[in-house]
Amino acid sequence: MNRSKKSLLAGLILLIGLGSSAFSQSIKFTAKDIYNKNVTESIFADSKLTMINIWGTFCGPCIKEMPDLGKLNQQYNNKDFQIVGIVVDSVNSRGMMVPKTVESAKKIVTTTGADYIHIVPDSNLINGILEDIYAVPTTIFVDSKGNIVGKAYTGSRSYDDWKKIIDSLLK
């Protein structure tokens, strides 16, 4: 693992608290996805529930669960549910995109079949929900207005475990 990834990982692990104010307000951002397309919080409006999976290209458990997340995204297609990824290590400590890491993210997405939107975080995400993340993968759910629903889930889960959580939140 190179120095910048180690620093980012150490920073993520040292961040405190999933209970602060960023997790009690709606999520707002204007960012790019890994294919350089503009994306904002308006992506939440078309779904009753959005699963936001926060992951890193250096994270084995993150990558291991991505094929299951891709299957879930396909299974729930047109059922008021979607998945969105946020690639935490796709920006450096100054908030600038890291092209090499974005290329790695693209390869991981293709290899794992996780064919949903993957966001390169902007300053609003970095200073908002990502400020409260202490480990990856971390997954949160939001409603159509970007409001956090339920709790944050740290660590990877199986297809069946995520399906149970999603189904309970869609009720």
Side-chain angles (χ1 to χ4, degrees):
M1 187 180 304
N2 68 33
R3 180 176 287 167
S4 65
K5 287 184 182 176
K6 284 181 183 177
S7 296
L8 178 64
L9 181 59
L12 287 171
I13 291 170
L14 292 175
L15 289 173
I16 304 295
L18 285 171
S20 75
S21 62
F23 269 45
S24 62
Q25 57 191 335
S26 63
I27 299 171
K28 306 252 186 246
F29 62 92
T30 301
K32 301 272 186 184
D33 71 6
I34 60 173
Y35 300 103
N36 207 34
K37 293 180 183 169
N38 293 329
V39 61
T40 70
E41 71 275 355
S42 67
I43 62 171
F44 304 138
D46 294 332
S47 295
K48 178 179 174 184
L49 184 70
T50 299
M51 175 186 202
I52 302 174
N53 181 255
I54 303 162
W55 65 283
T57 61
F58 58 87
C59 172
C62 299
I63 296 165
K64 184 179 178 187
E65 78 175 345
M66 288 174 75
D68 286 342
L69 297 180
K71 288 176 192 170
L72 286 163
N73 195 56
Q74 289 176 354
Q75 177 187 352
Y76 285 91
N77 190 16
N78 298 321
K79 293 185 183 176
D80 291 329
F81 175 80
Q82 68 178 333
I83 299 176
V84 171
I86 298 178
V87 191
V88 293
D89 60 334
S90 62
V91 293
N92 62 23
S93 61
R94 295 180 312 250
M96 303 297 293
M97 184 186 300
V98 181
K100 186 176 179 180
T101 304
V102 172
E103 288 305 313
S104 292
K106 289 178 188 177
K107 289 177 186 171
I108 292 166
V109 166
T110 299
T111 302
T112 62
D115 61 349
Y116 42 86
I117 295 170
H118 294 271
I119 298 170
V120 175
D122 70 345
S123 62
N124 290 322
L125 289 169
I126 292 167
N127 297 316
I129 64 166
L130 295 181
E131 190 172 63
D132 293 327
I133 301 301
Y134 65 89
V136 292
T138 293
T139 302
I140 60 173
F141 293 87
V142 298
D143 64 18
S144 62
K145 294 178 181 164
N147 297 310
I148 305 293
V149 175
K151 66 177 191 165
Y153 297 85
T154 304
S156 62
R157 304 276 190 292
S158 69
Y159 173 92
D160 290 333
D161 288 343
W162 281 128
K163 186 171 180 355
K164 287 177 191 171
I165 293 166
I166 294 163
D167 289 343
S168 72
L169 291 171
L170 283 172
K171 288 183 180 178

